[in-house]
Amino acid sequence: MTTAADVKQYNTQLEAENPFAQITENVCRVAEAPKPPKAWYISFAISSTVMLAFFSSIGFVFWEGIGAWGNMSPVFWGFPIVNFVFWVGIGHAGTLISAVLYLFRQDWRTGINRFAEAMTIFAVICAAIFPGIHIGRPWLPYWMFPIPNQMSMWPQFRSPLEWDVFAVSTYATVSILFWYMGMIPDLATLRDRSKSTVRRFAYGIFSMGWRGSSRQWHRYEKAYQILAALATPLVLSVHSVVSFDFATAQLPGWHTTIFPPYFVAGAIFGGFAMVVVLAVPARQFFGLKRIITMRHLENMCIIMLVTGTVVGYAYAMEFFIAWYGGVPEESFTFINRAFGPYAWAYWTMISCNVLAPQLFWFRRFRRSIPVMFIIAVFVNVGMWFERFVIVCTSLSRDFIPSNWGYFIPTKVDFITLIGSFGLFFTLFLLFCRYLPMVAMAEVKAIHYNHHMHHHH
């Protein structure tokens, strides 16, 4: 039986006869092939197993209580909040690539924007689970929503924890709308090419009667621009609000004004690294090297270098302000981060986030697939450790030495962390199999513009 990997790859020159048909063929054949590549089955089996472990660990926590985690006094925010902030950060690059680069007319986004948008939604789904389970009472998450509880008490609207609910849910809603709307013309293409009634019916419902008339295209372009303009401030606001969870607390190491830009830069940094981690194997297994080109990957490496440098600058500024501010508790906290009991986590963070991306100054490393993939994995590890360092080092040694403690994660903590990656990759693999991975209409439009420019 034919699989997606067996179909002729999109390796011919775009200038060849009817390049638009080539683009359609190469993107659609992944969803249309009777069977995906073997690598897809293996990846799906692994990720779905890990996902089951994730939900099992959550079920165990519901049964046993949050004592199953390593959270202890004074570190009451352990892995769940670290994981929440990490996944919200990963969700950043999608909207940045889609909306901000669209508004700035950066053509190179077209090959990777659909990936990045999907990644955003799946990362926000992973993130949204953690605040709900962190409260330890799965029947009470509705307390986070702006409705009075059974005691007629409203949520505390002055708390940044409450702002989180609005920021993340607004971001998720706009991101889902933006992603879905961008897919409508491509879903209509899949509908028109469908050979089975079930597929034609399913794609027909989700393509919402798209016929590709000039009037529909006109409305579509307008609506896409409006959504891009709405989504752009959300890119900045959502992680700024997440950073306020920490910055508004009077705890050494958290109480600082640099957190909003520092968190946003870190989120873009980690998000782009995750796009590289997803795009490199996807272009290999599904034969999309002519659509997701080396130029796309190299540009993402450059953005990782820039944002990684900003993050490194923020790390240095935290130390400087702690010294310059003259507050002994602040100075102690930062010296404790670098040389205290969690020094191993701090230096892991510095190595992965500041030192590893410096290789991207050299073009040969930016154009080396294995090097960029390994560095992107390092960056994701480093960004997770950044959140661990912020949460655990500050909480473990607060104002009163008799109150100090050392947070040690349990097996359940580790299963929940690793399992969240299982959920993320399972959703991503399903997306790769059944939906158009690349925005065909946009790639064709860019190709047409380049072609016309070339001939004039």
Side-chain angles (χ1 to χ4, degrees):
M1 189 176 282
T2 311
T3 72
D6 299 331
V7 183
K8 186 184 175 187
Q9 301 234 338
Y10 180 38
N11 290 327
T12 51
Q13 291 296 317
L14 275 177
E15 285 70 21
E17 191 179 351
N18 201 358
F20 289 175
Q22 287 183 32
I23 294 169
T24 305
E25 183 64 31
N26 279 270
V27 176
C28 290
R29 69 188 165 78
V30 178
E32 291 172 349
K35 290 172 69 179
K38 280 182 187 169
W40 187 91
Y41 283 113
I42 296 167
S43 307
F44 188 75
I46 295 170
S47 62
S48 55
T49 307
V50 177
M51 179 184 71
L52 286 177
F54 175 61
F55 287 115
S56 303
S57 71
I58 292 174
F60 183 72
V61 168
F62 286 172
W63 182 258
E64 288 289 321
I66 58 172
W69 291 327
N71 298 14
M72 35 72 81
S73 176
V75 185
F76 294 106
W77 282 10
F79 269 31
I81 298 302
V82 175
N83 296 340
F84 165 71
V85 181
F86 171 77
W87 282 115
V88 169
I90 292 296
H92 250 70
T95 307
L96 181 94
I97 290 174
S98 295
V100 180
L101 297 185
Y102 174 78
L103 293 177
F104 284 101
R105 299 290 185 261
Q106 294 295 304
D107 294 346
W108 63 274
R109 68 184 265 287
T110 52
I112 52 171
N113 67 329
R114 185 67 53 74
F115 268 95
E117 289 165 22
M119 184 191 79
T120 288
I121 292 159
F122 305 147
V124 171
I125 290 171
C126 292
I129 291 172
F130 287 103
I133 62 173
H134 186 239
I135 59 176
R137 294 175 176 80
W139 55 94
L140 293 180
Y142 78 93
W143 281 14
M144 293 187 286
F145 296 100
I147 47 175
N149 63 20
Q150 77 278 13
M151 294 180 284
S152 299
M153 291 174 65
W154 288 79
Q156 172 56 281
F157 290 111
R158 289 177 296 181
S159 165
L161 298 176
E162 185 61 25
W163 305 345
D164 260 357
V165 177
F166 293 99
V168 175
S169 57
T170 308
Y171 183 68
T173 307
V174 173
S175 297
I176 289 169
L177 283 174
F178 197 55
W179 180 59
Y180 174 61
M181 216 187 77
M183 272 197 302
I184 288 175
D186 296 340
L187 289 171
T189 305
L190 285 173
R191 174 201 63 197
D192 296 342
R193 290 167 58 98
S194 295
K195 291 176 181 165
S196 75
T197 311
V198 176
R199 291 174 75 94
R200 193 176 303 119
F201 180 74
Y203 287 124
I205 287 176
F206 288 108
S207 58
M208 299 179 73
W210 178 268
R211 286 287 177 269
S213 67
S214 56
R215 184 173 180 173
Q216 284 185 336
W217 275 113
H218 178 70
R219 296 278 165 80
Y220 170 84
E221 292 285 343
K222 284 284 178 197
Y224 200 77
Q225 278 183 6
I226 291 169
L227 273 178
L230 278 175
T232 302
L234 289 175
V235 173
L236 303 177
S237 73
V238 70
H239 223 50
S240 298
V241 169
V242 170
S243 78
F244 291 158
D245 292 346
F246 304 95
T248 55
Q250 291 183 338
L251 188 71
W254 288 9
H255 194 59
T256 168
T257 52
I258 201 175
F259 263 25
Y262 162 31
F263 266 52
V264 170
I268 296 166
F269 181 46
F272 268 93
M274 188 59 92
V275 176
V276 171
V277 169
L278 297 175
V280 164
R283 73 196 281 274
Q284 177 68 34
F285 294 138
F286 295 113
L288 298 172
K289 291 181 183 176
R290 288 283 301 152
I291 294 177
I292 303 170
T293 63
M294 190 53 77
R295 180 179 170 232
H296 294 107
L297 298 175
E298 192 176 356
N299 283 350
M300 286 196 283
C301 291
I302 293 170
I303 291 178
M304 282 162 61
L305 174 62
V306 172
T307 49
T309 308
V310 173
V311 167
Y313 173 78
Y315 295 157
M317 272 302 105
E318 283 189 311
F319 270 83
F320 172 75
I321 295 297
W323 167 76
Y324 191 66
V327 179
E329 288 82 3
E330 286 284 340
S331 303
F332 168 78
T333 298
F334 284 96
I335 292 169
N336 180 55
R337 274 187 190 175
F339 303 106
Y342 290 106
W344 56 273
Y346 181 80
W347 293 108
T348 303
M349 173 190 86
I350 294 288
S351 306
C352 293
N353 288 351
V354 181
L355 301 181
Q358 300 308 317
L359 287 176
F360 288 146
W361 284 104
F362 305 99
R363 190 161 188 262
R364 66 192 173 100
F365 291 127
R366 292 201 304 268
R367 298 183 70 83
S368 164
I369 297 286
V371 171
M372 76 170 70
F373 184 77
I374 290 168
I375 291 178
V377 171
F378 276 5
V379 168
N380 280 310
V381 171
M383 288 310 296
W384 186 88
F385 269 100
E386 180 192 292
R387 281 64 183 246
F388 178 82
V389 166
I390 290 171
V391 171
C392 293
T393 60
S394 286
L395 284 174
S396 67
R397 292 196 166 184
D398 58 8
F399 298 98
I400 308 172
S402 62
N403 199 32
W404 290 357
Y406 188 80
F407 169 77
I408 300 173
T410 63
K411 286 180 188 171
V412 180
D413 277 314
F414 284 114
I415 293 171
T416 312
L417 166 64
I418 296 166
S420 64
F421 283 90
L423 172 62
F424 177 77
F425 285 113
T426 301
L427 292 171
F428 185 75
L429 286 165
L430 289 171
F431 158 73
C432 289
R433 177 70 182 100
Y434 294 106
L435 292 171
M437 276 190 291
V438 175
M440 289 182 277
E442 291 194 44
V443 172
K444 288 175 190 173
I446 297 301
H447 171 70
Y448 177 77
N449 290 339
H450 285 183
H451 185 73
M452 293 303 288
H453 180 73
H454 179 73
H455 284 279
H456 289 83

